[in-house]
């Protein structure tokens, strides 16, 4: 019984004498991407590849080289890039299960030289992010 009493006494003392530090929250600095990402949520008309999704799929399938892939099974990736108000694109990045698939998707998207029809908000073209999910079974 003495041991339990001492244990409670030590725990109680620790709680009584412990110091709680409070950090003042500093306001977060807006990042450079905040101005880029926010138009994505407020677009009236999303960005579109000339010829629509069918033309984009056709471009990807004609440029995609399956022999460059190292993985097997079902491979997935998502390619994300920025479409500017003038229809040009940059900031291409791909994430996914297989590095060789990611590299190939980035290569294929970089080969697109056609300008996109930009996203519109209030009748004005704006820059916005565009994502292309991709999955292949090998």
């Amino acid at each position: 019984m003495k041991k339990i009493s001492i244990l409670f006494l030590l725990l109680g003392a620790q709680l009584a004498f412990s110091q709680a530090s409070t950090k003042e929250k500093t306001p977060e600095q807006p990042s450079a991407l905040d101005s880029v990402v926010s138009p994505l949520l407020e677009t009236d008309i999303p960005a579109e590849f000339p010829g629509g999704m069918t033309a984009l799929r056709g471009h990807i399938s004609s440029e995609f080289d399956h022999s460059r892939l190292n993985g097997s099974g079902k491979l997935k990736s998502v390619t994300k890039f920025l479409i500017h108000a003038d229809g040009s694109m940059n900031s291409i990045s791909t994430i996914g299960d297989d590095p060789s698939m990611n590299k190939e998707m980035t290569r294929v998207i970089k080969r697109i030289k056609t300008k996109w029809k930009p996203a519109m908000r209030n009748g004005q073209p704006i820059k916005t992010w565009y994502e292309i999910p991709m999955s292949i079974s090998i």
Side-chain angles (χ1 to χ4, degrees):
M1 186 69 177
K2 268 186 174 179
K3 290 181 181 180
I4 293 175
S5 299
I6 292 173
L7 179 64
F8 282 120
L9 182 65
L10 289 175
L11 288 175
Q14 182 180 6
L15 289 174
F17 293 110
S18 64
Q19 295 180 358
S21 64
T22 57
K23 288 185 178 180
E24 285 186 29
K25 287 194 171 187
T26 57
E28 292 184 22
Q29 297 294 326
S31 75
L33 290 179
D34 287 345
S35 61
V36 173
V37 174
S38 60
L40 179 63
L41 302 175
E42 302 171 8
T43 59
D44 296 334
I45 302 170
E48 183 180 2
F49 188 74
M53 188 56 85
T54 305
L56 179 60
R57 286 184 188 137
H59 171 77
I60 291 173
S61 65
S62 67
E63 293 289 328
F64 198 87
D65 185 4
H66 300 325
S67 66
R68 294 181 181 210
L69 301 181
N70 297 330
S72 63
K74 188 167 187 175
L75 306 176
K76 295 181 182 181
S77 69
V78 176
T79 303
K80 182 177 180 179
F81 50 92
L82 184 63
I83 301 173
H84 292 274
D86 66 354
S88 62
M89 55 186 253
N90 68 355
S91 302
I92 301 167
S93 66
T94 304
I95 57 171
D97 303 334
D98 185 54
S100 63
M101 169 105 166
N102 298 342
K103 187 176 179 181
E104 182 62 10
M105 274 302 293
T106 300
R107 184 192 70 80
V108 168
I109 298 302
K110 281 182 179 180
R111 297 217 18 152
I112 296 175
K113 301 301 178 198
T114 308
K115 289 205 177 220
W116 287 64
K117 185 176 172 185
M120 303 290 276
R121 181 178 45 185
N122 298 328
Q124 299 293 322
I126 58 169
K127 59 184 171 182
T128 187
W129 288 101
Y130 195 89
E131 289 186 353
I132 301 174
M134 179 76 162
S135 63
I136 293 179
S137 294
I138 298 178

